[in-house]
Amino acid sequence: MMFKAILIEGSRSDQKVSIASVNSTQLPEGDVDVDVAFSTINYKDALAITGKAPIAKHYPMIPGIDFAGTVTNSSHADFKVGDKVILNGWGVGEKHWGGLAEKARVSGDWLVPLPSAFTTKQAMAIGTAGYTAMLCVMALEKHGLKPEDGEILVTGAAGGVGSVAVALLAKLGFSVTAVTGRPEEAVFLKSLGASTIMDRAELSEPGKPLARETWAGAIDVAGSHVLANVCAGMKYQGAVAACGLAAGMDFPSSVAPFILRGVTLYGIDSVMAPKSKRLEAWQRLAEVLDISLLDSLTTEVAFDDVINAAGQLMEGKVRGRIVVPIQA
C-alpha cells in the first residue's frame, strides 16, 4: 500500500524535500501502526525541512516530531486497533520516520492515549510545543511558585511553546509578562492572558551579571543573551524553566544569580521525558488549558503547503501552532 508523505532525501549538504508516495513496506521497525489524522510543523520540523540545522540524522527521513491518530495494527500490550493515540518526540522525525505522513509505525512505548478531553486535532493544536509548555509550568509549580510570589516571564511568547505557556499560566492565576519581537502580536498575547508585553530587544543584548529583581519565575525558549538576562533579573529563590535555543546554544552568564539569589535553572527536555511525566503533562493540559483558545493559537496548513509553511516559520512569520490535517 502506498501512502503520502513529506520526504527529505539526499544528504546533509544536498537535501531535497518533496511530497512523495511511499510504499508501506518501507516503514521503519515498530510494534504499532497508526493512521495519522493530524500532525504539526514545529520549529524543529522547520529546521529539518529547510535544512537550516542537521535535524535529520539519516536519509531518507519523514519529518514531523509529533502526530495524533488511530491504531490500525498493534502487537504492543497497551494498545489495540481503534485506539486514539498521541506521539511527541522520542527522536521521531529525526532518527525515525515521523508524523508528516499518512501512516506511521513506531514503538508503543512512545505513545500515550489521547485524553478524552481532546480530539486528535485539538491534541495537535497543543502538540509537542504545548506539552513542553506544560512540562515547564510543572517545573515552576514543583519549585513552589505561586501567583502571589510575583510576575512570571515568558520569552518567545507568540510562538508555539510561549503562547501555550502564557495561556496556561494565566489560567492558573499567574500574572504573565510576555516577551516578543513582534509588537503587532500584543493584542493576541493579551487575549491569552498576558498582563504585560515586553520587547525582546530589552533582553537580547549582553547585560549585567545581576539586574533588578523583577520576576518570580520564567519560561525561556531562547537561550543565549536572553536566558542570561532573564536569570539576572530573577527575584530571590526564583526559578527559570529553559526549553529552547532559538537565540543560540550559548549561555553568556555568570554564577551570580545562582549563588547570590538562590535562583534555580531547570532544563526541560520533552523529547526523551519518561512516560509517567508525559501522562501527567497531558492530564494537566486536559484540566487546565482553555480549549476555547486553541483556535486563536492555531494556523491550519494543508499538506500540500507544508514545505512553504516551514520556510515561513523559520522567518518568524507564524503565530502560535501550525496544525496539518493528514487524513482527518
Side-chain angles (χ1 to χ4, degrees):
M1 180 182 293
M2 307 299 289
F3 65 94
K4 186 168 64 174
I6 303 296
L7 194 65
I8 305 174
E9 300 175 280
S11 65
R12 177 73 190 96
S13 60
D14 183 27
Q15 75 171 32
K16 180 183 74 172
V17 186
S18 65
I19 299 173
S21 184
V22 181
N23 195 305
S24 59
T25 60
Q26 297 177 259
L27 284 167
E29 291 185 3
D31 53 11
V32 180
D33 289 358
V34 179
D35 274 355
V36 179
F38 288 89
S39 187
T40 64
I41 308 174
N42 295 277
Y43 184 68
K44 188 178 285 186
D45 300 320
L47 287 171
I49 292 168
T50 60
K52 298 292 186 183
I55 300 300
K57 301 300 187 266
H58 59 79
Y59 296 84
M61 177 57 60
I62 294 174
I65 65 172
D66 54 15
F67 63 77
T70 304
V71 173
T72 57
N73 187 53
S74 174
S75 58
H76 192 281
D78 292 347
F79 299 100
K80 64 183 185 302
V81 173
D83 284 348
K84 304 290 186 183
V85 293
I86 305 169
L87 185 141
N88 306 111
W90 292 117
V92 168
E94 303 176 69
K95 302 175 184 178
H96 190 100
W97 281 8
L100 285 167
E102 292 178 319
K103 295 186 179 296
R105 179 176 293 151
V106 298
S107 167
D109 292 340
W110 301 345
L111 297 169
V112 296
L114 176 73
S116 59
F118 304 127
T119 63
T120 50
K121 181 178 180 179
Q122 290 168 336
M124 286 298 96
I126 298 165
T128 288
Y131 146 68
T132 302
M134 190 73 244
L135 291 176
C136 291
V137 171
M138 287 161 52
L140 298 184
E141 287 180 326
K142 289 176 181 178
H143 186 77
L145 290 181
K146 301 177 292 298
E148 55 266 32
D149 294 326
E151 198 89 3
I152 307 294
L153 186 80
V154 177
T155 68
V161 175
S163 58
V164 179
V166 169
L168 290 170
L169 289 164
K171 184 68 179 294
L172 289 167
F174 288 94
S175 180
V176 182
T177 294
V179 180
T180 181
R182 292 179 272 172
E184 68 274 14
E185 298 292 6
V187 173
F188 164 64
L189 291 169
K190 290 199 170 183
S191 75
L192 298 180
S195 55
T196 305
I197 309 300
M198 183 177 182
D199 191 327
R200 182 177 61 201
E202 295 184 42
L203 298 172
S204 297
E205 299 299 323
K208 298 177 180 179
L210 283 177
R212 182 172 63 88
E213 294 185 50
T214 305
W215 308 291
I219 294 174
D220 177 63
V221 305
S224 193
H225 292 294
V226 174
L227 178 57
N229 288 321
V230 168
C231 291
M234 297 304 296
K235 289 184 176 181
Y236 186 74
Q237 291 194 333
V240 180
C243 66
L245 42 79
M249 291 186 67
D250 59 324
F251 181 43
S253 183
S254 77
V255 298
F258 310 109
I259 64 173
L260 298 180
R261 290 187 184 162
V263 171
T264 299
L265 178 60
Y266 291 98
I268 306 299
D269 168 53
S270 62
V271 177
M272 303 302 290
K275 192 164 187 175
S276 59
K277 186 169 284 189
R278 293 166 184 269
L279 291 169
E280 180 185 0
W282 277 101
Q283 181 58 42
R284 290 298 310 286
L285 284 162
E287 295 168 352
V288 176
L289 186 62
D290 184 349
I291 296 177
S292 68
L293 292 175
L294 288 179
D295 284 346
S296 68
L297 287 168
T298 306
T299 300
E300 187 169 305
V301 169
F303 193 90
D304 290 348
D305 294 330
V306 164
I307 297 171
N308 179 58
Q312 292 181 324
L313 179 56
M314 289 302 302
E315 293 170 9
K317 296 179 179 178
V318 177
R319 167 203 287 179
R321 303 277 300 129
I322 298 177
V323 172
V324 182
I326 307 293
Q327 46 184 356

